[in-house]
Amino acid sequence: MKIRLTLLAALALALLLTLAACADREKVITIGAAVSETGRYAQEGTHTREGYQLWLDWVNDEAGGIDVDGVSHRVELIMYDDQSDPDTNAELVARLIDEDEVDFLLGPYSSTLTQSAIEVADPKGVIIVEGTGSSESLFEQGFQNLFAVLTPAGKYAESALNILAGQGAETVVVAYSDTLFPRSVADGVEKWAAQHGVKVLAIQPYPQDLSDVTGIVSNFKALNPDVFINAGYYNDALLFVRAAKALDFNPKATVMTVGPTDPRLIQEVGADADFLIGPTQWTPTMQYAGDRFGSAADYAQRFQRKFNATPTYQSASASAAALALQLAIEAADSTNPDEVRAALRNLKADTFYGPIEFDSTGKNAAKPMGAIQIQDGQALVVAPAPIAATQILYPTPPWQTR
């Protein structure tokens, strides 16, 4: 009898432990992301990963998890390296959904990889909230599960061209990497240039793996434009800055996506980065704030403490994407995809990253685009006027006198 009671007690204890473990699992929300750690997007992918990690630490360790109907749920984040490859990204997103059984997804870096991810996730009804895929084409295909917190790529050049036209710029040339995001930026340049009376002298696409841009720079130098715009990625910015100096290509203003907003560009090219203008989704000096993370400056201080670095807008965009998903889950009081999707469509939030309000296609319709200029080694906001920290420096002096 004693042996039987002991056995029953052991079985009861095992059952209680199993039930407790099940209860713990029910209090976990699993989120997945395939984000570049290697390959051509490794730099920007690292910034994106850091943004996700910062939010994860904050939501679990400080916020106590995500509140769902009065119950706190911890977040488990599963991230894989997509190697900056669309096919690998698609395979990993399928793995996250089918094998890891994630509840939701956060986006990869770049519009090209976001396209791969949503093509897998959308038919399966899995929501992706992202902060680095801004190509307009992503939101013209009828996807029901894609939500982006960032300003669309077509508006990237708006603030810069507006302020440069006001300074007297009359002509512009454009070189763009022939992928989704840069193509959208280039299309936007044509629109905003026409609106502000700036003549487009040339638009030159180039393959994404191009390693020598001297031919493009030589051709543009012969056109003598007031403004040069490069729509590309971090490595492209390095190539064009170095080639421009080597060939003495000196337009009155140079606008580059991604590069000027990354502090590492200044570390790599030093004073040659001065006067560069960069469209930016976010900087720590912008006057944005919300009840999570506090202000933009508060977020930057938190990031500095964790990573010993100044956050790029890619990091802030990633944290904001995760935060938007969190706010929608809490508003829905549910992890049911249909209810969270509806909450995302109705979301209106002021955050450290700026206002977030999704339109019917999943774009953030509330957030304006900014522009920075590197002046004496500092990236300072120069547009739009209400949030500008200083005046733009125009025209750029010749290389020989800098």
Side-chain angles (χ1 to χ4, degrees), residues 300-347:
Q301 290 172 4
R302 180 185 296 272
F303 190 97
Q304 180 73 39
R305 288 195 299 269
K306 181 171 179 60
F307 295 108
N308 194 31
T310 301
T312 64
Y313 78 74
Q314 291 94 345
S315 295
S317 294
S319 294
L323 177 59
L325 177 58
Q326 174 192 347
L327 293 174
I329 293 170
E330 291 177 347
D333 252 342
S334 172
T335 57
N336 178 279
D338 293 334
E339 295 178 26
V340 174
R341 190 180 302 108
L344 283 165
R345 296 197 185 285
N346 292 320
L347 183 65

mmCIF file of all heavy atoms in Angstrom, residues 300-347:
data_model
loop_
_atom_site.group_PDB
_atom_site.id
_atom_site.type_symbol
_atom_site.label_atom_id
_atom_site.label_comp_id
_atom_site.label_asym_id
_atom_site.label_seq_id
_atom_site.Cartn_x
_atom_site.Cartn_y
_atom_site.Cartn_z
ATOM 1 N N ALA A 300 17.996 56.539 -27.281
ATOM 2 C CA ALA A 300 19.413 56.555 -27.666
ATOM 3 C C ALA A 300 20.322 56.290 -26.474
ATOM 4 O O ALA A 300 21.325 55.574 -26.596
ATOM 5 C CB ALA A 300 19.759 57.904 -28.302
ATOM 6 N N GLN A 301 19.985 56.838 -25.324
ATOM 7 C CA GLN A 301 20.786 56.599 -24.121
ATOM 8 C C GLN A 301 20.726 55.134 -23.712
ATOM 9 O O GLN A 301 21.738 54.539 -23.319
ATOM 10 C CB GLN A 301 20.294 57.494 -22.992
ATOM 11 C CG GLN A 301 20.595 58.976 -23.206
ATOM 12 C CD GLN A 301 19.934 59.862 -22.172
ATOM 13 O OE1 GLN A 301 19.306 59.378 -21.229
ATOM 14 N NE2 GLN A 301 20.049 61.172 -22.353
ATOM 15 N N ARG A 302 19.556 54.544 -23.810
ATOM 16 C CA ARG A 302 19.394 53.123 -23.475
ATOM 17 C C ARG A 302 20.232 52.269 -24.425
ATOM 18 O O ARG A 302 20.913 51.328 -24.001
ATOM 19 C CB ARG A 302 17.914 52.747 -23.566
ATOM 20 C CG ARG A 302 17.607 51.291 -23.232
ATOM 21 C CD ARG A 302 16.131 51.013 -23.476
ATOM 22 N NE ARG A 302 15.296 51.788 -22.580
ATOM 23 C CZ ARG A 302 14.931 51.392 -21.363
ATOM 24 N NH1 ARG A 302 15.340 50.215 -20.909
ATOM 25 N NH2 ARG A 302 14.146 52.146 -20.624
ATOM 26 N N PHE A 303 20.187 52.607 -25.704
ATOM 27 C CA PHE A 303 20.955 51.859 -26.696
ATOM 28 C C PHE A 303 22.450 51.999 -26.438
ATOM 29 O O PHE A 303 23.207 51.025 -26.524
ATOM 30 C CB PHE A 303 20.598 52.372 -28.096
ATOM 31 C CG PHE A 303 21.129 51.540 -29.221
ATOM 32 C CD1 PHE A 303 20.324 50.587 -29.825
ATOM 33 C CD2 PHE A 303 22.426 51.707 -29.694
ATOM 34 C CE1 PHE A 303 20.811 49.811 -30.872
ATOM 35 C CE2 PHE A 303 22.919 50.934 -30.727
ATOM 36 C CZ PHE A 303 22.098 49.991 -31.322
ATOM 37 N N GLN A 304 22.873 53.214 -26.110
ATOM 38 C CA GLN A 304 24.292 53.476 -25.834
ATOM 39 C C GLN A 304 24.781 52.621 -24.668
ATOM 40 O O GLN A 304 25.881 52.055 -24.704
ATOM 41 C CB GLN A 304 24.498 54.957 -25.531
ATOM 42 C CG GLN A 304 25.932 55.357 -25.237
ATOM 43 C CD GLN A 304 26.819 55.356 -26.460
ATOM 44 O OE1 GLN A 304 26.398 55.762 -27.536
ATOM 45 N NE2 GLN A 304 28.056 54.900 -26.315
ATOM 46 N N ARG A 305 23.958 52.520 -23.629
ATOM 47 C CA ARG A 305 24.348 51.717 -22.460
ATOM 48 C C ARG A 305 24.490 50.244 -22.821
ATOM 49 O O ARG A 305 25.394 49.561 -22.321
ATOM 50 C CB ARG A 305 23.313 51.878 -21.343
ATOM 51 C CG ARG A 305 23.330 53.239 -20.661
ATOM 52 C CD ARG A 305 22.551 53.204 -19.356
ATOM 53 N NE ARG A 305 21.152 52.853 -19.549
ATOM 54 C CZ ARG A 305 20.180 53.729 -19.755
ATOM 55 N NH1 ARG A 305 20.449 55.023 -19.824
ATOM 56 N NH2 ARG A 305 18.919 53.324 -19.901
ATOM 57 N N LYS A 306 23.639 49.753 -23.677
ATOM 58 C CA LYS A 306 23.658 48.324 -23.992
ATOM 59 C C LYS A 306 24.738 47.968 -25.005
ATOM 60 O O LYS A 306 25.444 46.960 -24.847
ATOM 61 C CB LYS A 306 22.289 47.869 -24.524
ATOM 62 C CG LYS A 306 22.243 46.374 -24.849
ATOM 63 C CD LYS A 306 20.852 45.899 -25.151
ATOM 64 C CE LYS A 306 20.851 44.397 -25.505
ATOM 65 N NZ LYS A 306 21.378 43.574 -24.384
ATOM 66 N N PHE A 307 24.873 48.782 -26.057
ATOM 67 C CA PHE A 307 25.765 48.414 -27.162
ATOM 68 C C PHE A 307 26.997 49.307 -27.278
ATOM 69 O O PHE A 307 27.815 49.102 -28.166
ATOM 70 C CB PHE A 307 24.993 48.450 -28.484
ATOM 71 C CG PHE A 307 23.888 47.428 -28.569
ATOM 72 C CD1 PHE A 307 22.556 47.825 -28.505
ATOM 73 C CD2 PHE A 307 24.168 46.083 -28.690
ATOM 74 C CE1 PHE A 307 21.531 46.902 -28.583
ATOM 75 C CE2 PHE A 307 23.155 45.135 -28.773
ATOM 76 C CZ PHE A 307 21.831 45.545 -28.707
ATOM 77 N N ASN A 308 27.100 50.300 -26.400
ATOM 78 C CA ASN A 308 28.226 51.234 -26.444
ATOM 79 C C ASN A 308 28.360 51.856 -27.826
ATOM 80 O O ASN A 308 29.454 51.965 -28.390
ATOM 81 C CB ASN A 308 29.530 50.530 -26.058
ATOM 82 C CG ASN A 308 30.652 51.528 -25.763
ATOM 83 O OD1 ASN A 308 30.393 52.630 -25.297
ATOM 84 N ND2 ASN A 308 31.884 51.132 -26.031
ATOM 85 N N ALA A 309 27.239 52.263 -28.387
ATOM 86 C CA ALA A 309 27.219 52.862 -29.721
ATOM 87 C C ALA A 309 25.977 53.736 -29.851
ATOM 88 O O ALA A 309 24.990 53.545 -29.141
ATOM 89 C CB ALA A 309 27.213 51.785 -30.801
ATOM 90 N N THR A 310 26.051 54.688 -30.773
ATOM 91 C CA THR A 310 24.895 55.513 -31.085
ATOM 92 C C THR A 310 23.970 54.735 -32.006
ATOM 93 O O THR A 310 24.432 54.165 -33.001
ATOM 94 C CB THR A 310 25.331 56.818 -31.777
ATOM 95 O OG1 THR A 310 26.216 57.521 -30.909
ATOM 96 C CG2 THR A 310 24.127 57.690 -32.102
ATOM 97 N N PRO A 311 22.678 54.684 -31.729
ATOM 98 C CA PRO A 311 21.784 53.901 -32.588
ATOM 99 C C PRO A 311 21.590 54.544 -33.954
ATOM 100 O O PRO A 311 21.476 55.765 -34.075
ATOM 101 C CB PRO A 311 20.460 53.892 -31.810
ATOM 102 C CG PRO A 311 20.510 55.132 -30.971
ATOM 103 C CD PRO A 311 21.956 55.305 -30.599
ATOM 104 N N THR A 312 21.581 53.741 -34.995
ATOM 105 C CA THR A 312 21.201 54.189 -36.323
ATOM 106 C C THR A 312 19.686 54.155 -36.442
ATOM 107 O O THR A 312 18.995 53.581 -35.591
ATOM 108 C CB THR A 312 21.791 53.287 -37.398
ATOM 109 O OG1 THR A 312 21.230 51.970 -37.240
ATOM 110 C CG2 THR A 312 23.307 53.206 -37.287
ATOM 111 N N TYR A 313 19.165 54.729 -37.510
ATOM 112 C CA TYR A 313 17.714 54.680 -37.663
ATOM 113 C C TYR A 313 17.224 53.259 -37.925
ATOM 114 O O TYR A 313 16.081 52.919 -37.620
ATOM 115 C CB TYR A 313 17.226 55.661 -38.728
ATOM 116 C CG TYR A 313 17.392 55.258 -40.179
ATOM 117 C CD1 TYR A 313 16.583 54.294 -40.775
ATOM 118 C CD2 TYR A 313 18.330 55.899 -40.989
ATOM 119 C CE1 TYR A 313 16.709 53.964 -42.099
ATOM 120 C CE2 TYR A 313 18.463 55.581 -42.323
ATOM 121 C CZ TYR A 313 17.650 54.607 -42.885
ATOM 122 O OH TYR A 313 17.786 54.278 -44.203
ATOM 123 N N GLN A 314 18.102 52.396 -38.469
ATOM 124 C CA GLN A 314 17.674 51.007 -38.661
ATOM 125 C C GLN A 314 17.389 50.333 -37.321
ATOM 126 O O GLN A 314 16.429 49.574 -37.192
ATOM 127 C CB GLN A 314 18.736 50.219 -39.433
ATOM 128 C CG GLN A 314 18.878 50.636 -40.885
ATOM 129 C CD GLN A 314 19.959 51.655 -41.084
ATOM 130 O OE1 GLN A 314 20.440 52.275 -40.133
ATOM 131 N NE2 GLN A 314 20.384 51.839 -42.328
ATOM 132 N N SER A 315 18.226 50.601 -36.325
ATOM 133 C CA SER A 315 17.990 50.030 -34.994
ATOM 134 C C SER A 315 16.703 50.566 -34.401
ATOM 135 O O SER A 315 15.885 49.818 -33.848
ATOM 136 C CB SER A 315 19.167 50.347 -34.072
ATOM 137 O OG SER A 315 20.346 49.707 -34.509
ATOM 138 N N ALA A 316 16.505 51.890 -34.489
ATOM 139 C CA ALA A 316 15.287 52.488 -33.952
ATOM 140 C C ALA A 316 14.057 51.973 -34.688
ATOM 141 O O ALA A 316 13.017 51.704 -34.072
ATOM 142 C CB ALA A 316 15.367 54.012 -34.055
ATOM 143 N N SER A 317 14.166 51.817 -36.010
ATOM 144 C CA SER A 317 13.048 51.291 -36.794
ATOM 145 C C SER A 317 12.684 49.877 -36.350
ATOM 146 O O SER A 317 11.504 49.517 -36.257
ATOM 147 C CB SER A 317 13.407 51.282 -38.281
ATOM 148 O OG SER A 317 13.571 52.573 -38.786
ATOM 149 N N ALA A 318 13.713 49.066 -36.087
ATOM 150 C CA ALA A 318 13.468 47.688 -35.656
ATOM 151 C C ALA A 318 12.768 47.655 -34.300
ATOM 152 O O ALA A 318 11.797 46.912 -34.101
ATOM 153 C CB ALA A 318 14.785 46.925 -35.596
ATOM 154 N N SER A 319 13.255 48.466 -33.358
ATOM 155 C CA SER A 319 12.614 48.519 -32.044
ATOM 156 C C SER A 319 11.182 49.020 -32.170
ATOM 157 O O SER A 319 10.270 48.528 -31.486
ATOM 158 C CB SER A 319 13.392 49.439 -31.102
ATOM 159 O OG SER A 319 14.673 48.916 -30.821
ATOM 160 N N ALA A 320 10.966 50.003 -33.050
ATOM 161 C CA ALA A 320 9.624 50.551 -33.229
ATOM 162 C C ALA A 320 8.677 49.524 -33.849
ATOM 163 O O ALA A 320 7.486 49.468 -33.501
ATOM 164 C CB ALA A 320 9.685 51.800 -34.103
ATOM 165 N N ALA A 321 9.184 48.702 -34.765
ATOM 166 C CA ALA A 321 8.356 47.650 -35.357
ATOM 167 C C ALA A 321 7.905 46.657 -34.291
ATOM 168 O O ALA A 321 6.727 46.274 -34.223
ATOM 169 C CB ALA A 321 9.128 46.934 -36.460
ATOM 170 N N ALA A 322 8.846 46.235 -33.451
ATOM 171 C CA ALA A 322 8.499 45.305 -32.376
ATOM 172 C C ALA A 322 7.532 45.947 -31.393
ATOM 173 O O ALA A 322 6.588 45.300 -30.911
ATOM 174 C CB ALA A 322 9.773 44.860 -31.656
ATOM 175 N N LEU A 323 7.731 47.223 -31.098
ATOM 176 C CA LEU A 323 6.844 47.937 -30.184
ATOM 177 C C LEU A 323 5.431 48.041 -30.761
ATOM 178 O O LEU A 323 4.439 47.865 -30.040
ATOM 179 C CB LEU A 323 7.399 49.329 -29.905
ATOM 180 C CG LEU A 323 6.548 50.235 -29.009
ATOM 181 C CD1 LEU A 323 6.326 49.609 -27.636
ATOM 182 C CD2 LEU A 323 7.199 51.610 -28.881
ATOM 183 N N ALA A 324 5.323 48.310 -32.070
ATOM 184 C CA ALA A 324 4.007 48.398 -32.705
ATOM 185 C C ALA A 324 3.275 47.066 -32.596
ATOM 186 O O ALA A 324 2.053 47.031 -32.324
ATOM 187 C CB ALA A 324 4.153 48.805 -34.166
ATOM 188 N N LEU A 325 3.989 45.966 -32.792
ATOM 189 C CA LEU A 325 3.366 44.644 -32.632
ATOM 190 C C LEU A 325 2.909 44.452 -31.201
ATOM 191 O O LEU A 325 1.787 43.967 -30.950
ATOM 192 C CB LEU A 325 4.369 43.554 -33.031
ATOM 193 C CG LEU A 325 3.898 42.115 -32.849
ATOM 194 C CD1 LEU A 325 2.633 41.828 -33.640
ATOM 195 C CD2 LEU A 325 5.019 41.142 -33.251
ATOM 196 N N GLN A 326 3.740 44.822 -30.246
ATOM 197 C CA GLN A 326 3.367 44.716 -28.835
ATOM 198 C C GLN A 326 2.102 45.525 -28.530
ATOM 199 O O GLN A 326 1.172 45.024 -27.883
ATOM 200 C CB GLN A 326 4.508 45.217 -27.952
ATOM 201 C CG GLN A 326 4.154 45.290 -26.471
ATOM 202 C CD GLN A 326 5.190 46.046 -25.660
ATOM 203 O OE1 GLN A 326 6.300 46.324 -26.146
ATOM 204 N NE2 GLN A 326 4.863 46.385 -24.427
ATOM 205 N N LEU A 327 2.043 46.754 -29.006
ATOM 206 C CA LEU A 327 0.886 47.613 -28.741
ATOM 207 C C LEU A 327 -0.383 47.021 -29.342
ATOM 208 O O LEU A 327 -1.470 47.112 -28.746
ATOM 209 C CB LEU A 327 1.139 49.014 -29.307
ATOM 210 C CG LEU A 327 2.248 49.822 -28.640
ATOM 211 C CD1 LEU A 327 2.485 51.128 -29.403
ATOM 212 C CD2 LEU A 327 1.920 50.107 -27.178
ATOM 213 N N ALA A 328 -0.251 46.410 -30.521
ATOM 214 C CA ALA A 328 -1.423 45.798 -31.149
ATOM 215 C C ALA A 328 -1.895 44.575 -30.386
ATOM 216 O O ALA A 328 -3.114 44.370 -30.215
ATOM 217 C CB ALA A 328 -1.088 45.434 -32.594
ATOM 218 N N ILE A 329 -0.969 43.752 -29.908
ATOM 219 C CA ILE A 329 -1.346 42.579 -29.115
ATOM 220 C C ILE A 329 -2.067 43.019 -27.842
ATOM 221 O O ILE A 329 -3.099 42.458 -27.462
ATOM 222 C CB ILE A 329 -0.105 41.736 -28.773
ATOM 223 C CG1 ILE A 329 0.488 41.110 -30.043
ATOM 224 C CG2 ILE A 329 -0.451 40.638 -27.760
ATOM 225 C CD1 ILE A 329 1.844 40.453 -29.830
ATOM 226 N N GLU A 330 -1.529 44.052 -27.208
ATOM 227 C CA GLU A 330 -2.150 44.537 -25.971
ATOM 228 C C GLU A 330 -3.505 45.173 -26.242
ATOM 229 O O GLU A 330 -4.444 45.005 -25.454
ATOM 230 C CB GLU A 330 -1.211 45.528 -25.284
ATOM 231 C CG GLU A 330 0.046 44.860 -24.736
ATOM 232 C CD GLU A 330 1.028 45.840 -24.105
ATOM 233 O OE1 GLU A 330 0.871 47.056 -24.303
ATOM 234 O OE2 GLU A 330 1.940 45.358 -23.390
ATOM 235 N N ALA A 331 -3.640 45.881 -27.355
ATOM 236 C CA ALA A 331 -4.929 46.482 -27.698
ATOM 237 C C ALA A 331 -5.958 45.416 -28.023
ATOM 238 O O ALA A 331 -7.151 45.556 -27.676
ATOM 239 C CB ALA A 331 -4.766 47.430 -28.880
ATOM 240 N N ALA A 332 -5.520 44.339 -28.667
ATOM 241 C CA ALA A 332 -6.430 43.241 -29.001
ATOM 242 C C ALA A 332 -6.750 42.380 -27.792
ATOM 243 O O ALA A 332 -7.752 41.659 -27.791
ATOM 244 C CB ALA A 332 -5.803 42.379 -30.091
ATOM 245 N N ASP A 333 -5.885 42.447 -26.746
ATOM 246 C CA ASP A 333 -5.999 41.555 -25.592
ATOM 247 C C ASP A 333 -6.034 40.103 -26.048
ATOM 248 O O ASP A 333 -6.759 39.269 -25.495
ATOM 249 C CB ASP A 333 -7.253 41.878 -24.764
ATOM 250 C CG ASP A 333 -6.904 42.540 -23.445
ATOM 251 O OD1 ASP A 333 -5.735 42.440 -23.022
ATOM 252 O OD2 ASP A 333 -7.790 43.153 -22.822
ATOM 253 N N SER A 334 -5.226 39.825 -27.063
ATOM 254 C CA SER A 334 -5.263 38.498 -27.665
ATOM 255 C C SER A 334 -4.028 38.298 -28.528
ATOM 256 O O SER A 334 -3.406 39.259 -28.988
ATOM 257 C CB SER A 334 -6.514 38.358 -28.538
ATOM 258 O OG SER A 334 -6.492 37.156 -29.282
ATOM 259 N N THR A 335 -3.669 37.027 -28.739
ATOM 260 C CA THR A 335 -2.636 36.694 -29.706
ATOM 261 C C THR A 335 -3.251 36.080 -30.971
ATOM 262 O O THR A 335 -2.516 35.637 -31.850
ATOM 263 C CB THR A 335 -1.612 35.701 -29.111
ATOM 264 O OG1 THR A 335 -2.298 34.533 -28.655
ATOM 265 C CG2 THR A 335 -0.852 36.336 -27.956
ATOM 266 N N ASN A 336 -4.563 36.098 -31.051
ATOM 267 C CA ASN A 336 -5.232 35.612 -32.249
ATOM 268 C C ASN A 336 -4.854 36.503 -33.429
ATOM 269 O O ASN A 336 -5.026 37.723 -33.371
ATOM 270 C CB ASN A 336 -6.745 35.628 -32.038
ATOM 271 C CG ASN A 336 -7.499 35.174 -33.272
ATOM 272 O OD1 ASN A 336 -7.702 35.962 -34.191
ATOM 273 N ND2 ASN A 336 -7.919 33.922 -33.285
ATOM 274 N N PRO A 337 -4.348 35.924 -34.517
ATOM 275 C CA PRO A 337 -3.872 36.745 -35.633
ATOM 276 C C PRO A 337 -4.927 37.695 -36.201
ATOM 277 O O PRO A 337 -4.607 38.834 -36.547
ATOM 278 C CB PRO A 337 -3.437 35.709 -36.674
ATOM 279 C CG PRO A 337 -3.146 34.473 -35.890
ATOM 280 C CD PRO A 337 -4.102 34.483 -34.747
ATOM 281 N N ASP A 338 -6.160 37.230 -36.314
ATOM 282 C CA ASP A 338 -7.203 38.085 -36.865
ATOM 283 C C ASP A 338 -7.434 39.314 -35.981
ATOM 284 O O ASP A 338 -7.606 40.434 -36.476
ATOM 285 C CB ASP A 338 -8.512 37.309 -37.016
ATOM 286 C CG ASP A 338 -8.418 36.216 -38.076
ATOM 287 O OD1 ASP A 338 -7.580 36.361 -38.997
ATOM 288 O OD2 ASP A 338 -9.165 35.233 -37.983
ATOM 289 N N GLU A 339 -7.422 39.103 -34.671
ATOM 290 C CA GLU A 339 -7.665 40.214 -33.754
ATOM 291 C C GLU A 339 -6.464 41.162 -33.703
ATOM 292 O O GLU A 339 -6.628 42.389 -33.626
ATOM 293 C CB GLU A 339 -8.005 39.667 -32.364
ATOM 294 C CG GLU A 339 -9.314 38.879 -32.342
ATOM 295 C CD GLU A 339 -9.636 38.297 -30.974
ATOM 296 O OE1 GLU A 339 -9.164 38.863 -29.972
ATOM 297 O OE2 GLU A 339 -10.345 37.275 -30.914
ATOM 298 N N VAL A 340 -5.258 40.614 -33.766
ATOM 299 C CA VAL A 340 -4.065 41.462 -33.765
ATOM 300 C C VAL A 340 -3.977 42.242 -35.074
ATOM 301 O O VAL A 340 -3.624 43.432 -35.088
ATOM 302 C CB VAL A 340 -2.798 40.618 -33.544
ATOM 303 C CG1 VAL A 340 -1.537 41.471 -33.685
ATOM 304 C CG2 VAL A 340 -2.835 39.974 -32.157
ATOM 305 N N ARG A 341 -4.324 41.598 -36.178
ATOM 306 C CA ARG A 341 -4.318 42.285 -37.474
ATOM 307 C C ARG A 341 -5.282 43.471 -37.450
ATOM 308 O O ARG A 341 -4.958 44.582 -37.927
ATOM 309 C CB ARG A 341 -4.708 41.298 -38.574
ATOM 310 C CG ARG A 341 -4.514 41.841 -39.986
ATOM 311 C CD ARG A 341 -4.923 40.805 -41.029
ATOM 312 N NE ARG A 341 -4.177 39.567 -40.891
ATOM 313 C CZ ARG A 341 -4.694 38.430 -40.421
ATOM 314 N NH1 ARG A 341 -5.965 38.382 -40.022
ATOM 315 N NH2 ARG A 341 -3.942 37.349 -40.337
ATOM 316 N N ALA A 342 -6.461 43.265 -36.902
ATOM 317 C CA ALA A 342 -7.428 44.357 -36.807
ATOM 318 C C ALA A 342 -6.913 45.478 -35.904
ATOM 319 O O ALA A 342 -7.107 46.665 -36.190
ATOM 320 C CB ALA A 342 -8.756 43.815 -36.283
ATOM 321 N N ALA A 343 -6.230 45.100 -34.822
ATOM 322 C CA ALA A 343 -5.677 46.106 -33.914
ATOM 323 C C ALA A 343 -4.576 46.915 -34.592
ATOM 324 O O ALA A 343 -4.454 48.127 -34.371
ATOM 325 C CB ALA A 343 -5.148 45.428 -32.654
ATOM 326 N N LEU A 344 -3.769 46.269 -35.424
ATOM 327 C CA LEU A 344 -2.733 46.990 -36.170
ATOM 328 C C LEU A 344 -3.374 48.001 -37.122
ATOM 329 O O LEU A 344 -2.893 49.138 -37.265
ATOM 330 C CB LEU A 344 -1.856 46.014 -36.952
ATOM 331 C CG LEU A 344 -0.815 45.246 -36.133
ATOM 332 C CD1 LEU A 344 -0.271 44.055 -36.917
ATOM 333 C CD2 LEU A 344 0.341 46.165 -35.723
ATOM 334 N N ARG A 345 -4.448 47.601 -37.779
ATOM 335 C CA ARG A 345 -5.102 48.511 -38.720
ATOM 336 C C ARG A 345 -5.707 49.720 -38.000
ATOM 337 O O ARG A 345 -5.867 50.787 -38.606
ATOM 338 C CB ARG A 345 -6.179 47.772 -39.502
ATOM 339 C CG ARG A 345 -5.630 46.659 -40.389
ATOM 340 C CD ARG A 345 -6.614 46.215 -41.453
ATOM 341 N NE ARG A 345 -6.101 45.071 -42.192
ATOM 342 C CZ ARG A 345 -5.141 45.118 -43.109
ATOM 343 N NH1 ARG A 345 -4.581 46.282 -43.384
ATOM 344 N NH2 ARG A 345 -4.745 44.031 -43.737
ATOM 345 N N ASN A 346 -6.033 49.571 -36.734
ATOM 346 C CA ASN A 346 -6.642 50.659 -35.968
ATOM 347 C C ASN A 346 -5.650 51.385 -35.067
ATOM 348 O O ASN A 346 -6.029 52.302 -34.336
ATOM 349 C CB ASN A 346 -7.783 50.118 -35.110
ATOM 350 C CG ASN A 346 -8.957 49.643 -35.950
ATOM 351 O OD1 ASN A 346 -9.313 50.285 -36.932
ATOM 352 N ND2 ASN A 346 -9.549 48.518 -35.580
ATOM 353 N N LEU A 347 -4.386 50.980 -35.127
ATOM 354 C CA LEU A 347 -3.392 51.533 -34.204
ATOM 355 C C LEU A 347 -3.099 53.002 -34.494
ATOM 356 O O LEU A 347 -2.878 53.401 -35.632
ATOM 357 C CB LEU A 347 -2.100 50.717 -34.307
ATOM 358 C CG LEU A 347 -0.962 51.102 -33.347
ATOM 359 C CD1 LEU A 347 -1.367 50.840 -31.912
ATOM 360 C CD2 LEU A 347 0.312 50.326 -33.696
#
